[in-house]
Amino acid sequence: MTGGAGGAGDIAVLGAGMHPWGKWGHSFVRYGTVAARAALADAGLDWRRVDSVVGADTVRGGYPGHVAGATFARALGWQGARITSVYAACASGAQAIGVARAQILSGIADVVLVVGADAAPKGFFAPAGGERPDDPDWLRFRVLGATNPAYFGLWARRRMALHGDTPDDFALVKVKNAAAGALNPYARYRSPVSPAEVSASPVVADPLRLLDICATSDGGAALVLSSTEFARRHGVADPVRIRAVSTVGPVHPRTVIDLPDIATDSAALVEPPPCSFRASTVRAAYEEAGIGPEDLSLAEVYDLSTALELEWYEDIGLCAPGEGAKLVRDGTTALGGRVPVNVSGGLASFGEAVPAQAIAQVCELTWQLRGVAGERQVPGARAGITANQGLFGHGSAVVAVR
């Protein structure tokens, strides 16, 4: 359903809430419950008014003994709401928002609570032990020993070879995001850094250094979503609206290795698609929303590494392929620039709390579009997009407007 012209596919964001990111030593249930209560308070709604709960799962090392929708509903107090749990790796939060939106537009729920939270292990993510040859994530560790940072380093080298990007360009992304994160009370890392500090940090996966790569974190985020009709009845005449949710998958053939794959498809018989998987996810969101990159006030993208953020500039249409580094050099994507990117501070300032991060991106858009983001506020923000990617071909892009 296209919502661009008349907003027929719009849903309202009534509430947004988060638990600060960090390493707190508690269960993900606590983080998600704190975020959910904050979102309900922001919406001015009693928990008992929620018709449906959609939880974004964390699955690490197999079945975790928790399914997030039921886990959070139980923690808040059983009240008979519908329960859904979704898992799509780093795209889990966007999948959860997509499920909530479908329930609202279909008329089976007026008010939906979306929650994601994680208590991540220290260090890089790795699959559980055992022999699982059908698991591509297990295979890339077994065959290549390729941790996530190793993949980020390969991608950085690819940009250097194809486009002439330099480690100094990558460092500027961290400097930009750290400056924004220093203004965000929910961020884990709240200290500005200099290019020299990035360059002096230890090499993790050449050419990327420690400050080029995001950490793993604990944290939680939640949204209270509703129909626009319910929002009006609730006294919110002009809410932030979600206008598109894109969760599309890749198109064959895939001609660039993409985590966790360890090979590409042959393009000998089938013409490659016109754009990359990440770009196609964003393009689908633009088409559904009826807007384009020229309409953006800001964007929140998936900066697992500084080099990958530069790739996202191109994927979301801010510039042509190979021109991402120019934008960060010119200050286009910094606070005060033409289209600020990751004004929350991004994963550089938060770290990964996997099921929460796509939801947290929409929380930031919500606060920006409301004009309540404080020192990191983008003046006159009217439209924003989020973009990230989940393992195994899960797309994730959300458009919000005011």
Side-chain angles (χ1 to χ4, degrees), residues 314-400:
E314 300 157 17
D315 293 333
I316 67 176
L318 297 185
C319 61
E323 296 180 359
K326 183 177 185 297
L327 295 191
V328 77
R329 291 180 207 136
D330 293 347
T332 300
T333 56
L335 279 169
R338 177 172 58 84
V339 185
V341 176
N342 284 341
V343 292
S344 66
L347 296 182
S349 299
F350 278 75
E352 283 198 273
V354 172
Q357 52 209 33
I359 301 170
Q361 289 180 321
V362 178
C363 288
E364 181 65 25
L365 290 193
T366 298
W367 294 323
Q368 290 286 346
L369 296 174
R370 286 178 179 174
V372 297
E375 294 179 88
R376 65 184 192 282
Q377 179 65 49
V378 176
R382 302 297 296 175
I385 193 167
T386 72
N388 72 45
Q389 175 187 0
L391 292 183
F392 320 116
H394 290 114
S396 168
V398 178
V399 172

Side-chain angles (χ1 to χ4, degrees), residues 274-289:
C275 62
S276 70
F277 168 42
R278 286 193 292 267
S280 69
T281 301
V282 173
R283 181 175 295 184
Y286 284 143
E287 290 176 356
E288 184 179 346

Side-chain angles (χ1 to χ4, degrees), residues 249-310:
V251 174
H252 178 85
R254 301 189 73 182
T255 57
V256 177
I257 293 175
D258 203 0
L259 190 76
D261 298 327
I262 56 176
T264 61
D265 298 324
S266 171
L269 299 178
V270 181
E271 212 39 46
C275 62
S276 70
F277 168 42
R278 286 193 292 267
S280 69
T281 301
V282 173
R283 181 175 295 184
Y286 284 143
E287 290 176 356
E288 184 179 346
I291 70 168
E294 67 279 1
D295 300 306
L296 294 178
S297 305
L298 73 156
E300 288 286 309
V301 304
Y302 190 44
D303 59 316
L304 290 164
S305 79
T306 51
L308 283 175
E309 177 166 325
L310 297 181

